[in-house]
Amino acid sequence: LGVGLTSDGEYMDVQMNGSYSSKEALERLNAVMNQEIQVKSYVELDEGSKNAMSIVAAADYCISVKDGYPFLEQYEQKFDDFLTQKEIIIRKKTKKSEKEMNVKPYIYQVAYTEKDFEEKTGSKVDHTVADIYDNGCKIYMQIATGSVVNIKPEVIMEAFCKYAGIAYEPFAYQVHRREVYADLNADTKVEVEKYGKKRNLVTLESFGHVIEG
């Protein structure tokens, strides 16, 4: 997770010789956890399971406009228009170079209210820690993330601002990650555009099972 971002859905792999039940482990961990950090789930993976971060394929985000920064009054319609373009080209930086990339195939879902987004993704977040701003300007998006294709919501917002003819202010947006997914249909041997069309996204948590006491 990048500096300055908040999240409801971060995952960590831990290898242990033994374990408490999921219920007791959660209680013990949260009793000594740092302020503002809470462990929400504790599950066991089957033997031979892949590392969680190695199978990440997508993530849900909520991008909020911070108070005090100007933004489009009817941004929802403008963003819908932005998505109807044949291509959405961004400049993606790597360690050695910079290249152009069409990110449109990797924007899977977009909504402007939490309710609509949850209906589209089928994923619900209880007790979010996302910051709330008085202006209420939010864009929810599910985008490709991971080792095959890794799109940051910030570059999409920058491309949108360019399309809308407004200045992109990096500090105007609070990026909040809601959930992280694996793709059961992912196959790195085929073209990404092809597997993207038949994706079957599931939360990383779904790969584990609760340890009973």
Side-chain angles (χ1 to χ4, degrees), residues 1 6-14 37-45 50-61 123-125 145 177-182 201-209:
L1 192 68
T6 57
S7 178
D8 291 314
E10 298 305 298
Y11 290 83
M12 179 174 67
D13 291 315
V14 180
I37 297 179
Q38 181 183 22
V39 182
K40 299 167 62 179
S41 177
Y42 182 98
V43 296
E44 183 179 21
L45 297 175
K50 293 182 179 180
N51 177 284
M53 291 301 100
S54 70
I55 59 173
V56 170
D60 293 342
Y61 292 93
S123 179
K124 183 177 176 63
V125 174
T145 302
R177 185 149 60 196
R178 293 167 55 88
E179 185 56 273
V180 180
Y181 302 92
L201 301 180
V202 295
T203 66
L204 297 189
E205 183 183 10
S206 68
F207 285 90
H209 59 267

Side-chain angles (χ1 to χ4, degrees), residues 15 27 30 62 65 76 88-89 118 144 146-147 150 176 197 213:
Q15 187 172 5
E27 292 173 350
N30 285 321
C62 175
V65 180
E76 300 97 332
I88 298 175
I89 304 298
E118 290 176 348
S147 58
N150 189 46
H176 178 80
K197 292 178 181 177

Side-chain angles (χ1 to χ4, degrees), residues 88-100:
I88 298 175
I89 304 298
I90 58 105
R91 295 196 65 82
K92 187 173 176 62
K93 295 181 180 179
T94 65
K95 292 181 179 179
K96 296 182 179 180
S97 63
E98 190 174 271
K99 64 178 182 179
E100 288 190 344

Side-chain angles (χ1 to χ4, degrees), residues 23-83:
K23 182 176 182 297
E24 185 174 355
L26 281 174
E27 292 173 350
R28 286 174 173 266
L29 286 169
N30 285 321
V32 295
M33 193 54 59
N34 293 339
Q35 187 177 9
E36 302 299 330
I37 297 179
Q38 181 183 22
V39 182
K40 299 167 62 179
S41 177
Y42 182 98
V43 296
E44 183 179 21
L45 297 175
D46 294 332
E47 191 71 27
S49 296
K50 293 182 179 180
N51 177 284
M53 291 301 100
S54 70
I55 59 173
V56 170
D60 293 342
Y61 292 93
C62 175
I63 298 91
S64 299
V65 180
K66 297 177 181 178
D67 292 330
Y69 287 92
F71 202 56
L72 298 170
E73 290 187 4
Q74 296 181 335
Y75 67 94
E76 300 97 332
Q77 183 59 56
K78 197 68 174 179
F79 204 90
D80 284 342
D81 295 342
F82 167 70
L83 295 174

